[in-house]
Amino acid sequence: MMKTEDWTPEMVAEFKRRRRGRNYLLLAALGGFCLLIYAIALVKLHEYGQMW
Amino acid sequence: MSDTVFANSTELGAEASDWIALLKPRVLTLVVFTGAIGLVIAPVHMNPILAITAILCITVAAGAAGAINMWYDRDIDAIMKRTATRPIPAGRIQPNAALAYGIVLSVFSVLVMWLAANFVAATVLAISIAFYVFVYTIWLKRRTPQNIVIGGAAGAFPPVIGWAAATGSISLLPILLFLIVLVWTPPHFWSLSLYASGDYERAGVPMLPVVKGARHTRWNVFIYTLALVPLTLSPVFFGLAGWVYGVAATALGLGFIYYAWRVLSDSQDARGVSLTKDAPAKLAFRYSILYLFLLFGACALDRLI
């Protein structure tokens, strides 16, 4: 396996592109999860008058 | 440019799509559909947000179980042509990271199901994950050619979970739907394994065509299909489904028997090897997917009209 300091500029750019893609996916997953919990809480409060 | 140059590079880390691929998205389609049908046919109205959440939990749980399956099966995945490019055998995702990913998603899907729906649905969801991982993947898959018969139960849980999410209980209709998917799985999967048995043989997985031969497998595809058709009519006999479902189940069932018969009567040599490159098995496999979609669709339609 090649050392990171030996990477070509193209490899560094590709590494950053992949990392950016993973970060966006994680952001979407966490944001979606927060919205989901928020929506469930609203439904529970409005329809059942309770949280649990 | 970079896509071409680094397409197979593992040291640059995984693509975001690799993490999605760990969830086996193609398999999830049927899981989502049957789970949603279980929810739709339940005689209880469920808030749409909670219903969507329940379906999402079923989807994520099935995906998480798939990720754990890929973690456990990484050695045989590397041998099989069909699975060698998966993220773990290809080296793009570390095995332990995939395992952690699967466990975290499993836990979250069960907890959110409990929060959004109820304890019964969350419990059945947890059982379905455990069944797929421990009973099918770890215990049965590498030990017996009947792996798919018993292990198929893991894929049969979604309609029960969907029903339980809406009603908080389990009654006869979701149990019948569970049994239908359970008996549908062997002819569906064995049709596939008839033309993919080379891969399984190389990996040492005792699928039925590898252990008992293609001729024996063709008979089993036919017999299980014959057993499936009356089972699909049982909701009508119990008064749980109407004529729309009854007509659809009969017509679709006759179609499935026809395709299974073609598998059985495929041109073959003395050892049972297909002389048609298993063309009937490929057709039967494709039809079996359409069959389940239409059968469950008819069940929902029958309830709605």
Side-chain angles (χ1 to χ4, degrees), chain B residues 142-162:
Chain B
R142 303 183 191 208
R143 282 186 174 78
T144 167
Q146 297 301 312
N147 49 17
I148 206 68
V149 179
I150 307 161
F157 278 109
V160 182
I161 300 165

Side-chain angles (χ1 to χ4, degrees), chain B residues 73-112:
Chain B
D73 278 347
R74 61 193 185 279
D75 55 338
I76 56 176
D77 279 353
I79 300 168
M80 296 200 289
K81 209 188 305 175
R82 187 171 61 87
T83 53
T85 56
R86 282 177 174 176
I88 304 174
R92 296 192 300 277
I93 290 179
Q94 292 299 310
N96 287 346
L99 176 63
Y101 178 63
I103 291 172
V104 167
L105 288 183
S106 298
V107 171
F108 270 80
S109 63
V110 171
L111 290 178
V112 174

Side-chain angles (χ1 to χ4, degrees), chain B:
Chain B
M1 185 273 295
S2 57
D3 284 350
T4 318
V5 176
F6 302 115
N8 295 316
S9 176
T10 56
E11 61 193 290
L12 300 179
E15 299 265 4
S17 59
D18 287 326
W19 289 97
I20 294 169
L22 270 185
L23 304 177
K24 299 188 179 181
R26 275 162 58 180
V27 179
L28 294 181
T29 322
L30 214 58
V31 169
V32 173
F33 184 72
T34 55
I37 294 294
L39 214 145
V40 167
I41 62 172
V44 177
H45 169 75
M46 194 176 185
N47 180 286
I49 291 174
L50 299 184
I52 290 168
T53 306
I55 294 168
L56 188 69
C57 287
I58 295 172
T59 312
V60 172
I68 299 173
N69 168 276
M70 281 202 207
W71 163 78
Y72 188 80
D73 278 347
R74 61 193 185 279
D75 55 338
I76 56 176
D77 279 353
I79 300 168
M80 296 200 289
K81 209 188 305 175
R82 187 171 61 87
T83 53
T85 56
R86 282 177 174 176
I88 304 174
R92 296 192 300 277
I93 290 179
Q94 292 299 310
N96 287 346
L99 176 63
Y101 178 63
I103 291 172
V104 167
L105 288 183
S106 298
V107 171
F108 270 80
S109 63
V110 171
L111 290 178
V112 174
M113 178 65 99
W114 190 2
L115 180 68
N118 52 64
F119 180 73
V120 177
T123 305
V124 183
L125 189 66
I127 290 170
S128 73
I129 299 169
F131 196 94
Y132 186 68
V133 171
F134 295 108
V135 178
Y136 174 67
T137 304
I138 297 177
W139 180 34
L140 295 171
K141 187 174 176 180
R142 303 183 191 208
R143 282 186 174 78
T144 167
Q146 297 301 312
N147 49 17
I148 206 68
V149 179
I150 307 161
F157 278 109
V160 182
I161 300 165
W163 178 286
T167 63
S169 63
I170 297 167
S171 59
L172 184 58
L173 184 56
I175 291 172
L176 291 176
L177 295 180
F178 172 90
L179 291 174
I180 288 168
V181 181
L182 183 74
V183 178
W184 165 87
T185 306
H188 163 73
F189 203 80
W190 283 333
S191 296
L192 168 73
S193 67
L194 272 169
Y195 56 92
S197 60
D199 251 0
Y200 289 118
E201 198 170 359
R202 269 192 297 281
V205 179
M207 294 308 290
L208 198 62
V210 176
V211 177
K212 298 278 187 177
R215 196 188 305 276
H216 184 88
T217 306
R218 288 192 192 96
W219 268 107
N220 273 271
V221 167
F222 188 65
I223 291 166
Y224 270 91
T225 307
L226 286 182
L228 174 65
V229 177
L231 183 62
T232 60
L233 292 170
S234 59
V236 181
F237 293 130
F238 285 111
L240 300 169
W243 66 271
V244 172
Y245 173 79
V247 169
T250 307
L252 290 166
L254 290 174
F256 204 175
I257 290 173
Y258 166 73
Y259 281 104
W261 170 254
R262 285 189 60 181
V263 171
L264 183 64
S265 56
D266 188 16
S267 302
Q268 50 200 290
D269 64 15
R271 291 177 299 125
V273 177
S274 173
L275 301 173
T276 63
K277 293 184 179 171
D278 283 305
K282 287 172 188 166
L283 279 173
F285 176 72
R286 281 191 216 130
Y287 179 79
S288 67
I289 297 170
L290 181 69
Y291 171 85
L292 201 68
F293 268 108
L294 293 177
L295 187 76
F296 273 66
C299 189
L301 186 68
D302 190 86
R303 278 279 170 147
L304 294 173
I305 58 174

Side-chain angles (χ1 to χ4, degrees), chain A residues 11-41:
Chain A
M11 288 175 82
V12 173
E14 173 63 12
F15 170 77
K16 286 182 177 173
R17 188 190 69 77
R18 290 187 186 190
R19 187 175 59 185
R20 194 165 49 242
R22 294 197 301 271
N23 287 343
Y24 279 132
L25 182 68
L26 188 59
L27 178 68
L30 291 175
F33 182 69
C34 291
L35 281 176
L36 190 69
I37 296 297
Y38 186 68
I40 293 169

